[in-house]
Amino acid sequence: MANDTPPRWDRKMQQRLARGEAAALGELYDRFASLVHSLANRVLGDEDAADVITREVFTHVWENPEAYDPKEGSMRSWIAGITQRRATARLRREHREDGSQSAEALEQIEEKVRAASTAARADYIVTSMPASLRAALELAYFQRHDYRQTATKLGVTEDEARRRLRLGLQLLSSAMTRPAPHRPRGLGPVR
């Protein structure tokens, strides 16, 4: 099951980081390192580069805890955003250094960036949805239960299980429907 980080936890973590508590950084790393690494790896397609991005992200969080604003979302989404921005910047920088400026190469880079952005939005949606919807989706997706098995496992009616699955999937599908920014070919990266 996904790690829940309620706003109270986020605020307390930010305060602990601001006080320089090394244990807070360790706890944050334990909770979010796999998220950071997987997002970075999705963008870069390189384990070593993802390791570097993971270190950079946690260094940034350690050095700038005041940059997190709980009013703007969860700490998880803030950290995912930092990861995506750093990984995307690295990917674009490597692309410029390689000198491969063809329209096809640029489009491949932007497609990787869009895919990573969609994955980050989907992760945020899943972790933000009510536990009842998330539990139904996890049973259906990870354990391959149909709506009848899901209903039995959750102790709800079949109609309720179908409703939860439908609502969860509708929320999740919104990660895919956000339009990508359009820019003419050949221009620099969207910032």
Side-chain angles (χ1 to χ4, degrees), residues 1-6 9 31-32 76 126-129 131 134:
M1 188 168 275
N3 291 323
D4 293 321
T5 55
W9 183 91
R31 187 175 286 233
F32 295 126
R76 178 186 183 92
V126 169
T127 58
S128 300
M129 70 177 50
R134 187 172 55 243

Side-chain angles (χ1 to χ4, degrees), residues 88-151:
T88 299
R90 181 181 177 122
L91 182 67
R92 288 178 174 146
R93 186 175 55 249
E94 288 173 357
H95 176 70
R96 281 192 304 271
E97 290 170 359
D98 287 348
S100 52
Q101 296 294 324
S102 72
E104 183 179 309
L106 287 172
E107 188 56 37
Q108 287 175 345
I109 296 292
E110 292 307 316
E111 181 56 37
K112 285 180 90 171
V113 169
R114 283 191 296 272
S117 178
T118 299
R121 282 192 306 275
D123 176 74
Y124 175 75
I125 289 166
V126 169
T127 58
S128 300
M129 70 177 50
S132 60
L133 299 182
R134 187 172 55 243
L137 285 178
E138 288 175 349
L139 286 169
Y141 183 75
F142 293 114
Q143 297 180 24
R144 305 286 190 223
H145 288 17
D146 64 18
Y147 74 93
R148 288 183 180 102
Q149 294 166 319
T150 299

Side-chain angles (χ1 to χ4, degrees), residues 123-184:
D123 176 74
Y124 175 75
I125 289 166
V126 169
T127 58
S128 300
M129 70 177 50
S132 60
L133 299 182
R134 187 172 55 243
L137 285 178
E138 288 175 349
L139 286 169
Y141 183 75
F142 293 114
Q143 297 180 24
R144 305 286 190 223
H145 288 17
D146 64 18
Y147 74 93
R148 288 183 180 102
Q149 294 166 319
T150 299
T152 301
K153 196 82 159 174
L154 296 175
V156 298
T157 65
E158 290 179 3
D159 286 341
E160 177 62 14
R162 279 195 300 259
R163 186 188 72 77
R164 289 180 186 185
L165 289 168
R166 184 175 49 251
L167 286 173
L169 290 172
Q170 286 171 343
L171 284 171
L172 198 51
S173 71
S174 68
M176 297 295 291
T177 58
R178 185 171 161 196
H182 175 72
R183 63 180 179 81

